[in-house]
Structure formats: C-alpha cells, structure tokens
C-alpha cells in the first residue's frame, strides 16, 4: 500500500479516486504561460505521481495554453484504467498571458475538443465550468447559459461528468437544476473558510469539494502559526495544511501542484500525518487571526 492510500477515497460519478491527487498547473512556464523550464523534469513529476499511487490529476487546456495537457499525454498515455483526469473550461489566454472569460457556446465547445485532442482521449472523465465573473474570486450572476452548453456536450458523449469552479452556493443550485454535478472547485484553506457550510452540504449530497490554493492568502500572523505547528510536528507547512484539509471533511479532494519531484513526495506524505488535538485547536484559530 502506498502512503497516499491512507488519505482514503471518494467517488466522482462512476470514478473512484484517492483523496490526495495532483494538480498539473505548475508544470507550465512562469505565470502558467508557455513551456516548462525543464521539459524532462515535468514529465518526471507526472510519472512519479502515478508511480506513487495518484489516480486523480487536475489540469486544463488553458494552462500554457495546451502545455500541461500535452505533457500529461506524453508522460502517461496510454492511461491506466483507474486514472481520472479532471479538466476545466470557461477561460482562454491572451497573447500576453492574461486570463480571459470564454463562455460562448462556440468557445466552450472548442475547449472541450481541444482538451480531447491534446490529452488524446475520446471522452473526458470530468469537466469543470470555471466561472470568471470577477478576477479576484467568486461573484454572483447566472451561469445557466454556459452550464447548459456543457450539459449538452455531456449528452453528446464527449464528457462523462461535470462540475463547477469558482462558484457561489446560488450558482451551484442553479446548475444542479440543469444537470448533475460531481464536484466543486473553490478557494478554501485554513485561513479562508467561507465555504465551511457549503462543504458540509455537498458532503451530505455526495459531491466532492476540491479546494485550490491550500496556502493562498495567508497573512504573516497566520503563516507564522502554521509554521510553528509544522515545526513542532517535524513537517512542512504544506503538509500540515493538506493534512488539516483531509481531516476537515470526507468529500474534500486535494490537488496540490508542484514542478519538483522532491516537493511532490513531500506533499503526498501529508496522507501519513496525523494532527493531534492541540495542533487542531491552534490551526482552527488561524482563520480568526488578525
């Protein structure tokens, strides 16, 4: 048994994945734009992840663009039957590397076909619709039109399961009236716990919650608290942050990203870390730290 088996499993539709996966975003160049600094090292990270038991990889064709999907195909195709690749649509990259909304039916359809072609797949396991009404986070607004397009692509057999990214509870409910969703990707971590109630609701409904930026947006006081706990446990801050997330709710799936094999191994070792009660109490206070 590999160490990440200790994280347990959860279902994405008809797919069963280990709760500790891998996010491919950092394999692209600086600013998630252009090719990796070291092509061979990027392939090595992907192969090491799968060799260590990872069976859930998160990606998007707008990473690069096209870069991470082509790396995944080169490193891992033909794919093992138990590997689930989750991608997302709803954005495109400007020539300057900017992130631009791409919600038209034509753009969404093209994005699904780009993902299929660059990953070398006939059908995508899971596709998340990334909402970009606000550059800095979630924002209210109807998602019926773009989500209906994604649901139609699912009916055509190009996509097995669908999910959402960067969304509010109201948008999730709007989408669920149109089609079944299997996962939600939002920013959530020790310091940013606005989705606490949402996570528990999704858990009751059997829907996965996939937090991004596990160390994002910490202020210095919050970071120092996390570092202090990590030092006491002889662990890295990232390992502690990931272990806390694994313990937070059974439907949380983790996709920490890195372009380093050494950091990948450190992140996956978070599945072995048990947080004692005193550490949990201290960590639970991080969100309230000024």
């Amino acid at each position: 048994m590999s160490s990440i088996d200790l994280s347990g499993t959860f279902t994405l539709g008809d797919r069963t994945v280990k709760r500790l996966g891998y996010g491919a975003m950092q394999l692209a160049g600086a600013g998630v734009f252009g090719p990796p600094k070291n092509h061979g090292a990027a392939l090595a990270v992907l192969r090491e992840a799968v060799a260590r038991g990872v069976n859930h990889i998160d990606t998007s064709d707008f990473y690069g663009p096209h870069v991470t999907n082509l790396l995944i195909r080169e490193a891992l195709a033909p794919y093992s039957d138990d590997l689930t690749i989750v991608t997302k649509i709803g954005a495109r990259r400007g020539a300057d590397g900017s992130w631009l909304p791409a919600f038209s039916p034509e753009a969404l359809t093209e994005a699904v076909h780009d993902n299929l072609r660059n990953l070398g797949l006939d059908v995508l396991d899971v596709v998340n619709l990334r909402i970009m009404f606000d550059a800095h986070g979630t924002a209210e607004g109807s998602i019926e039109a773009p989500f209906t397009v994604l649901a139609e692509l699912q009916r055509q057999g190009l996509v097995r399961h669908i999910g959402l990214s960067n969304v509010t509870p109201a948008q999730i409910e709007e989408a669920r009236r149109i089609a079944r969703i299997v996962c939600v990707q939002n920013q959530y971590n020790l310091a940013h716990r606005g989705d606490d109630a949402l996570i528990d609701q999704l858990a009751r409904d059997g829907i996965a919650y996939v937090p991004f930026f596990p160390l994002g947006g910490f202020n210095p006081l919050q970071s120092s608290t996390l570092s202090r706990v990590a030092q006491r446990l002889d662990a890295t801050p990232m390992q502690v942050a990931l272990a806390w997330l694994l313990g937070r709710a059974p439907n949380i799936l983790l996709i920490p990203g890195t372009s380093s094999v050494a950091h990948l191994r450190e992140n996956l070792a978070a599945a072995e870390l048990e947080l004692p009660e005193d550490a949990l109490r201290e960590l639970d206070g991080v969100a309230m730290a000024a």
Side-chain angles (χ1 to χ4, degrees), residues 21-210:
Y22 173 73
M25 184 174 74
Q26 292 187 33
L27 294 183
V32 200
F33 196 66
K37 184 168 61 174
N38 186 322
H39 186 89
L43 298 179
V45 169
L46 287 162
R47 290 169 179 154
E48 178 73 7
V50 170
R52 288 185 172 263
V54 167
N55 67 354
H56 170 206
I57 293 178
D58 182 84
T59 184
S60 175
D61 209 56
F62 55 70
Y63 293 163
H66 317 307
V67 169
T68 60
N69 280 355
L70 290 171
L71 288 168
I72 289 168
R73 182 177 184 176
E74 181 179 353
L76 303 177
Y79 305 111
S80 62
D81 290 341
D82 75 330
L83 179 64
T84 296
I85 299 175
V86 178
T87 188
K88 62 188 73 64
I89 61 175
R92 64 181 178 85
R93 306 303 294 277
D96 59 352
S98 55
W99 303 78
L100 305 170
F103 287 149
S104 72
E106 296 77 16
L108 295 169
T109 302
E110 182 182 7
V112 164
H113 284 281
D114 285 346
N115 277 279
L116 287 166
R117 181 180 64 255
N118 290 324
L119 287 167
L121 293 169
D122 296 322
V123 57
L124 298 170
D125 292 325
V126 184
V127 175
N128 290 318
L129 177 64
R130 169 78 179 189
I131 302 304
M132 296 185 64
F133 293 158
D134 187 302
H136 304 292
T138 59
E140 294 294 357
S142 175
I143 64 171
E144 178 180 1
F147 191 78
T148 299
V149 174
L150 179 52
E152 175 57 31
L153 292 166
Q154 181 185 39
R155 283 190 289 272
Q156 292 174 17
L158 299 176
V159 177
R160 284 196 181 89
H161 305 291
I162 51 183
L164 296 165
S165 178
N166 201 45
V167 286
T168 67
Q171 289 163 341
I172 294 169
E173 288 309 307
E174 183 181 33
R176 293 180 70 184
R177 290 193 289 269
I178 298 168
R180 180 192 180 198
I181 66 168
V182 300
C183 57
V184 171
Q185 285 190 357
N186 274 0
Q187 181 176 1
Y188 178 84
N189 57 38
L190 274 167
H192 295 270
R193 297 185 57 175
D195 275 357
D196 268 335
L198 174 61
I199 289 169
D200 295 336
Q201 177 61 53
L202 294 175
R204 288 190 290 270
D205 293 342
I207 298 171
Y209 184 94
V210 188

Side-chain angles (χ1 to χ4, degrees), residues 264-278:
L264 170 72
R265 292 170 180 165
E266 284 184 359
N267 291 344
L268 297 182
E272 305 173 23
L273 184 60
E274 292 188 22
L275 301 177
E277 286 299 323
D278 62 329

